[in-house]
Amino acid sequence: MRRVGAVSRGICAPIIKQGMDLVKVVADSVTAAARQEGFTLNDRDVVGVTESILARSQGNYATLEQIAADVRNKMPSGKIGITLPILSRNRFSSILRGISMAASDDGLYLQLAYPSDEVGNPLVSLDILDEKGVNPYTDVFTAEEFAQIFGNPVHPFTAIDYIEYYKEITDNKAKIIMANDPRAILKYTKNVICSDIHTRHRSKRLLKAAGAECVIGVDEILNASVDGSGWHPEYGLLGSNLATDNTIKLFPRDSQEFAEKLSAVLHEMTGKNIEVLVYGDGAFKDPIGGIWELADPVVSPGFTKGLVGTPNEVKLKYLADNINDDETAIKDFIRNEKTESAGNINSQGTTPRRFTDLLGSLCDLTSGSGDKGTPIVLVQGYFDSFAD
């Protein structure tokens, strides 16, 4: 019998530069690792490639000046409201600086959510809201009023006071309000950039219905190239990261095409049908800070067709408790009756999340966000069951 189930391996790769043939680099890296480490590649193995190196190979970068130019084109009045961004130096600070460059000196308004942002970065706790008698659904404050009630809260991991930090990086141009309803910004301006990620469509809808004159999302900034910039046709600046003091790296384009091409090349090299996905942030929540990791618009922007869908599994420990620990009977049940188990007690407690979200999260945890040097992840045995 086999002794190993699912295995996730970080695969080392060279530093990726613009113009590199990333399909070849990844295929060569995976097959070389298999030869060197003595493992075999199999049908339904999964190769994950981090979105960062795909974007780097594409040269999908933009400067703050190019961001500002696009904002000026789309909001020529210079009076701009920004709603509900996340609290992040890596993710939002450069976007804010670029927008600020396009705003008039007295025309930038920034609305921050509280007690935390969309992905859980906290300003204050729910307990403190209760103590102060504040209702986050209805109460609106200026930054100064917020400080009088709550002091100057700092992020638990970075120790950054993001209210002051966002003021500083706009050279104190931004006037900050604290509110959770995006329509609160309309008191100050009818021209709004929705900066939330996963709730952006609702925010745009609410603002337009409430009389906003010009509403765009961060996903509509650099959704086409400006002055030779990088771009993303669907997500714009969503999924972007700080690159240098004056540039950002955007989410990669053509991820689906890349995944399918890499799978075809791996099949040519190995004879195996290997699935591929491009992954960004994993979709998981930190239990201490309460921060949800997913600052990208999706976990996986491109993947092969074998990764479509959700698991159809049964709860092995439930079967063990109810089929008298009979391994043969349990294996027969998994082989023959699992397809009938969706939604009934045999499958209760299994995870009905998409394969791409589960595998992308596993890949993100394996590769890490630091200096491991493994932007490629090989997952084997993920689709095996106890009966295999």
Side-chain angles (χ1 to χ4, degrees), residues 35-211:
R35 288 193 302 270
Q36 181 174 319
E37 299 298 323
F39 59 83
T40 58
L41 297 170
N42 308 299
D43 289 332
R44 298 218 76 189
D45 285 353
V46 180
V47 171
V49 180
T50 181
E51 56 83 19
S52 178
I53 61 171
L54 179 54
R56 284 179 62 85
S57 71
Q58 295 170 340
N60 203 22
Y61 291 81
T63 66
L64 302 189
E65 289 79 7
Q66 289 165 333
I67 294 172
D70 201 25
V71 174
R72 289 190 195 101
N73 289 337
K74 292 169 177 172
M75 293 198 156
S77 74
K79 191 171 184 179
I80 301 170
I82 305 170
T83 58
L84 309 180
I86 63 172
L87 305 176
S88 172
R89 292 171 295 176
N90 178 45
R91 292 288 191 165
F92 186 70
S93 63
S94 293
I95 295 174
L96 177 58
R97 288 174 61 204
I99 296 172
S100 175
M101 291 164 60
S104 59
D105 288 342
D106 61 348
L108 184 63
Y109 301 90
L110 176 62
Q111 178 182 334
L112 301 180
Y114 76 94
S116 61
D117 69 10
E118 179 185 8
V119 296
N121 289 295
L123 285 170
V124 294
S125 71
L126 289 171
D127 290 332
I128 293 177
L129 292 188
D130 295 339
E131 177 186 320
K132 301 294 184 179
V134 170
N135 184 342
Y137 298 103
T138 58
D139 294 346
V140 178
F141 305 100
T142 65
E144 293 72 24
E145 291 168 339
F146 193 80
Q148 288 175 0
I149 298 171
F150 299 107
N152 300 103
V154 298
H155 192 280
F157 294 158
T158 65
I160 297 291
D161 178 341
Y162 275 98
I163 296 175
E164 287 303 312
Y165 175 65
Y166 280 173
K167 285 182 182 177
E168 290 170 5
I169 63 176
T170 64
D171 295 324
N172 291 311
K173 183 187 290 188
K175 302 171 185 66
I176 295 180
I177 65 170
M178 312 298 295
N180 291 301
D181 187 331
R183 292 169 292 191
I185 201 74
L186 296 178
K187 177 181 177 181
Y188 304 91
T189 176
K190 303 294 186 182
N191 306 308
V192 185
I193 298 174
C194 296
S195 298
D196 42 343
I197 304 164
H198 307 292
T199 56
R200 63 189 184 278
H201 300 298
R202 177 178 183 268
S203 292
K204 292 178 191 179
R205 173 175 56 80
L206 291 174
L207 285 161
K208 290 175 182 177

Side-chain angles (χ1 to χ4, degrees), residues 20 33 83 109 113 130-131 191 199 224 226 228 232 256 260 285 305 320 345 348 368 374 380:
M20 278 186 170
T83 58
Y109 301 90
D130 295 339
E131 177 186 320
N191 306 308
T199 56
V226 173
H232 195 289
Q256 186 66 32
E260 292 170 359
K285 186 174 182 178
K305 63 182 180 181
I345 194 169
Q348 285 184 15
T374 55
Q380 298 187 291

Side-chain angles (χ1 to χ4, degrees), residues 355-369:
F355 285 125
T356 51
D357 294 337
L358 293 163
L359 283 161
S361 299
L362 174 59
C363 289
D364 186 32
L365 287 166
T366 302
S367 61
S369 58

Side-chain angles (χ1 to χ4, degrees), residues 305-327:
K305 63 182 180 181
L307 300 181
V308 174
T310 59
N312 176 30
E313 298 177 326
V314 292
K315 201 73 169 179
L316 186 59
K317 58 188 179 183
Y318 176 81
L319 298 184
D321 287 337
N322 286 273
I323 309 183
N324 300 320
D325 299 331
D326 184 335
E327 291 194 10

Side-chain angles (χ1 to χ4, degrees), residues 182-365:
R183 292 169 292 191
I185 201 74
L186 296 178
K187 177 181 177 181
Y188 304 91
T189 176
K190 303 294 186 182
N191 306 308
V192 185
I193 298 174
C194 296
S195 298
D196 42 343
I197 304 164
H198 307 292
T199 56
R200 63 189 184 278
H201 300 298
R202 177 178 183 268
S203 292
K204 292 178 191 179
R205 173 175 56 80
L206 291 174
L207 285 161
K208 290 175 182 177
E213 296 171 0
C214 179
V215 179
I216 65 171
V218 167
D219 54 336
E220 296 169 85
I221 303 174
L222 294 189
N223 56 356
S225 183
V226 173
D227 299 331
S229 73
W231 80 98
H232 195 289
E234 183 179 1
Y235 297 127
L237 294 181
L238 287 183
S240 62
N241 284 271
L242 174 71
T244 70
D245 286 344
N246 194 53
T247 59
I248 63 169
K249 176 186 63 59
L250 280 70
F251 219 42
R253 302 185 303 273
D254 305 320
S255 296
Q256 186 66 32
E257 178 183 335
F258 170 82
E260 292 170 359
K261 185 175 180 181
L262 176 55
S263 181
V265 169
L266 286 167
H267 184 265
E268 291 174 5
M269 295 175 69
T270 67
K272 303 298 181 181
N273 295 313
I274 295 175
E275 306 292 349
V276 174
L277 83 161
V278 177
Y279 67 93
D281 274 348
F284 46 82
K285 186 174 182 178
D286 179 81
I288 304 299
I291 299 168
W292 185 35
E293 176 71 9
L294 188 56
D296 287 327
V298 291
V299 174
S300 176
F303 47 88
T304 49
K305 63 182 180 181
L307 300 181
V308 174
T310 59
N312 176 30
E313 298 177 326
V314 292
K315 201 73 169 179
L316 186 59
K317 58 188 179 183
Y318 176 81
L319 298 184
D321 287 337
N322 286 273
I323 309 183
N324 300 320
D325 299 331
D326 184 335
E327 291 194 10
T328 299
I330 289 172
K331 290 177 180 178
D332 287 342
F333 184 95
I334 293 171
R335 291 190 191 101
N336 301 322
E337 299 186 48
K338 182 165 72 171
T339 56
E340 306 298 326
S341 295
N344 69 30
I345 194 169
N346 297 321
S347 62
Q348 285 184 15
T350 58
T351 306
R353 293 168 60 192
R354 295 181 299 183
F355 285 125
T356 51
D357 294 337
L358 293 163
L359 283 161
S361 299
L362 174 59
C363 289
D364 186 32
L365 287 166

